[in-house]
Amino acid sequence: RPFLVPDASRDPVWRDSVPVRKLGFGALMEVPIVLRGEAIGVLGALFKTPRTIHEEDAALLVSFAEHTALALDRTNLLTKLEARLAETQTLLAVSQAAGATLELAEVARRTLREMVRALGADMGGAWLLDERANQIVPLAAYHVPKEVIATIARTPERFTARSFRSLEATVFATHSRHDARFDHSMLELIPHTSLLLCPVRSKGLVVGGFGVFWVRDAHVFSPEEIRLSPNSLKVLEK
């Protein structure tokens, strides 16, 4: 509801406030900015001297607040549409890149490339689970340092399927280096500040995984990115 203060120097809420005590304002109006039944902010008007505030004044400010709510709503909708457009473009790029070849490792590498670019990450990797040997089999890499790839290739016996076998859903962390969920011998070799892991399924079973790594700066994940990542892997599952 509107909050009207004809003489702020006598109002118990406002009389000791900075706008009144230090800046010298004498009256004020405040009305809520309401969007879909929820107050999301406040629109206010300050007057230098005390004054009588009429209903018409309050009604005008309420009208401004309504227009402000509509403008914010349009801005939010536009932002969401732009995010969906970017997501669609990424999925299209992944599909086109992967569809140019039938070789699994190359499909995985191209998918990684598009995902790393779309998420603003530094590198990515994909792997398969060898259930009989209880090991992880590296499948593809994008911008992973050569020395890391060489170490993984020299000591494949170190990388058991422990932890990755239970990767049933996307997991991520802005500060991943000290996150217990990523306590795995393979991840110890790969530098990362932030990390996102997604499972790859075949006939409903987890058969591998996909990782995107941020090395230099911590990454704050958005809901759109979390939704985008598993959707992009549909091409690998096929």
Side-chain angles (χ1 to χ4, degrees), residues 2-5 27-31 42-47 51 53-61:
F3 184 70
L4 312 176
V5 182
L28 62 96
M29 298 190 301
E30 289 185 313
V31 298
V42 175
L43 187 64
L46 297 170
F47 304 91
R51 59 170 287 169
I53 300 177
H54 301 285
E55 291 185 3
E56 293 82 0
D57 299 327
L60 180 61
L61 196 60

Side-chain angles (χ1 to χ4, degrees), residues 72-209:
L72 291 171
D73 194 29
R74 292 193 184 100
T75 300
N76 290 337
L77 289 175
L78 180 60
T79 300
K80 291 179 181 178
L81 286 173
E82 291 175 343
R84 286 299 179 93
L85 176 60
E87 179 179 339
T88 301
Q89 290 174 332
T90 299
L91 293 175
L92 179 61
V94 169
S95 179
Q96 291 175 336
T101 178
L102 295 177
E103 204 276 315
L104 179 59
E106 183 60 19
V107 170
R109 191 193 71 80
R110 296 185 184 191
T111 301
L112 284 169
R113 179 188 65 194
E114 298 302 328
M115 287 305 301
V116 168
R117 291 176 176 177
L119 297 174
D122 296 305
M123 58 187 178
W127 62 89
L128 297 176
L129 299 181
D130 185 343
E131 291 293 343
R132 290 175 298 179
N134 190 34
Q135 289 183 357
I136 292 173
V137 180
L139 177 62
Y142 181 73
H143 284 182
V144 177
K146 293 181 179 179
E147 59 271 21
V148 173
I149 296 176
T151 300
I152 293 175
R154 285 197 303 269
T155 56
E157 67 279 358
R158 288 184 53 190
F159 311 117
T160 67
R162 176 184 62 84
S163 299
F164 287 118
R165 186 184 291 108
S166 60
L167 183 62
E168 291 291 338
T170 300
V171 292
F172 57 94
T174 297
H175 303 287
S176 56
R177 176 54 69 182
H178 303 293
D179 193 313
R181 294 175 299 169
F182 307 114
D183 180 18
H184 193 279
S185 54
M186 178 180 284
L187 297 180
E188 290 175 357
L189 294 176
I190 305 175
H192 58 89
T193 299
S194 300
L195 176 57
L196 180 145
L197 299 179
C198 295
V200 175
R201 292 181 174 84
S202 178
K203 299 178 181 178
L205 299 176
V206 176
V207 297

Side-chain angles (χ1 to χ4, degrees), residues 203-222:
K203 299 178 181 178
L205 299 176
V206 176
V207 297
F210 172 104
V212 177
F213 302 82
W214 287 260
V215 178
R216 293 182 292 272
D217 301 312
H219 181 75
V220 178
F221 295 87
S222 69

